[in-house]
Structures are given as C-alpha cells and as structure tokens.
Amino acid sequence: MFTLYTKTMKIKVLITALLFFTLSGFSQTHDEKRAQIKALKVTYLTTELKLTTEEADKFWPVYNAYEEKQYNIRHNKIKPLLRQIGNGALEKMSEKEAQVYLDKFQDADEELFYLRKKLINDLKPIIGSVKLIKLKKVEDDFNKKLLEKYKDKDKEKKD
C-alpha cells in the first residue's frame, strides 16, 4: 500500500512539474500551446481518474471529440460575439441589438450544456458514474493549476 501511495505521489509531482515547466515557452504558436496543454491534460486526467487501458481506449476518442466541439463553439461562436461588443460598442448598443447578442450567447451556452450532457451519457457506460463525478473535479483542478501557472508567468513578466 505504501509503495502504491509513493508511486502515485511521484506521478502527481511529476505531472505538476511538467505542467509548470513545459508551459513556459514564449515563442510557441497558439496551436503548439494548445497541443502541449492537451498532452498534459491527457496525462493528468488518465492518472487522476486511474483509467485502465481498456477504459482509456474508449474514453479518449469520446472525450477528444467533446473537447473539439466545445472548443469550436467557444472560438467560433462566443469569442467573435465578445470581439464584436468590445471596444465600447456595448455602451452604444440599443436594447434591440443587445437582445440579439444575448440570444446568440444563450444559444451557444445551451449548445455547450447539451454537449456536456451528451458527454456524460456517452461516458457513463465506459467509466461509470463515480469516475464521471471525479472527472469534473479533476478537470477543474487541472484548469486551476493552468490558471495559476499563467498568473505566475504574468507576474514574472511584470517584475
């Protein structure tokens, strides 16, 4: 039991170290950074969820398809809307125009909601309910570590 605990702790430390040190490249393109983050996330989620080889073989194609669709919604629907209402445009907008934007935001949020719901339904037979709940926590933990890393990097730039 102690050996397993020590091995698990070493893996967690290694993953955390990888997360903090490999994201420090300044000259990387957006796609390179995204691929690097994805690789770290695969390792982190696989380890934290303790996916078996069989589970991982079925889990990752479903999860990757979900992530790609989610990325497309955020970057092809939500991000352009945010750009359009930036730079003071919101202050000049009529209620009618604002309602159009609000409807578009709600449609995108609804798409994301149903996409997550589909992910849960698709993954439940693969990893079960307990690991699905853990998935949410592990995703949040990974995102938190990622944000902390970028905040630290931003602080270093300012100092």
Side-chain angles (χ1 to χ4, degrees):
M1 178 85 175
F2 180 73
T3 307
L4 178 63
Y5 177 76
T6 305
K7 194 181 249 185
T8 304
M9 287 305 294
K10 285 180 185 176
I11 291 171
K12 286 182 181 180
V13 169
L14 177 64
I15 290 170
T16 303
L18 279 172
L19 180 67
F20 291 117
F21 294 115
T22 59
L23 293 175
S24 59
F26 292 101
S27 63
Q28 293 177 318
T29 67
H30 173 73
D31 289 339
E32 289 170 333
K33 286 179 184 176
R34 189 168 174 239
Q36 191 175 37
I37 290 169
K38 183 178 173 127
L40 291 168
K41 190 172 187 178
V42 166
T43 304
Y44 189 81
L45 266 61
T46 300
T47 304
E48 292 297 311
L49 291 174
K50 297 178 178 96
L51 295 177
T52 65
T53 304
E54 185 180 314
E55 287 174 331
D57 287 345
K58 294 176 182 174
F59 174 87
W60 285 110
V62 173
Y63 190 82
N64 288 338
Y66 159 77
E67 286 238 307
E68 192 60 34
K69 288 175 186 170
Q70 180 186 53
Y71 177 85
N72 287 332
I73 293 168
R74 288 190 171 145
H75 285 80
N76 297 330
K77 293 184 179 183
I78 296 173
K79 198 173 184 178
L81 290 172
L82 291 172
R83 263 190 246 120
Q84 289 172 359
I85 62 172
N87 300 330
L90 191 57
E91 286 75 25
K92 300 172 192 168
M93 194 177 288
S94 71
E95 277 297 311
K96 189 176 179 179
E97 292 169 318
Q99 185 60 52
V100 170
Y101 280 96
L102 186 58
D103 290 343
K104 289 178 181 180
F105 280 120
Q106 285 181 309
D107 289 345
D109 283 343
E110 192 173 326
E111 257 187 272
L112 288 169
F113 172 77
Y114 284 112
L115 184 61
R116 185 69 183 194
K117 223 175 159 173
K118 181 181 178 341
L119 175 73
I120 290 168
N121 289 331
D122 291 347
L123 288 179
K124 193 184 293 183
I126 297 170
I127 62 171
S129 298
V130 172
K131 284 187 179 178
L132 271 170
I133 293 169
K134 191 170 183 181
L135 173 63
K136 175 64 177 147
K137 182 189 179 320
V138 171
E139 286 174 320
D140 289 347
D141 291 347
F142 180 83
N143 291 334
K144 214 178 289 180
K145 288 180 184 199
L146 199 59
L147 268 173
E148 287 170 7
K149 172 61 183 162
Y150 279 114
K151 283 181 186 177
D152 291 345
K153 190 165 52 169
D154 196 38
K155 253 187 211 177
E156 289 174 10
K157 285 181 184 177
K158 290 179 182 177
D159 291 340

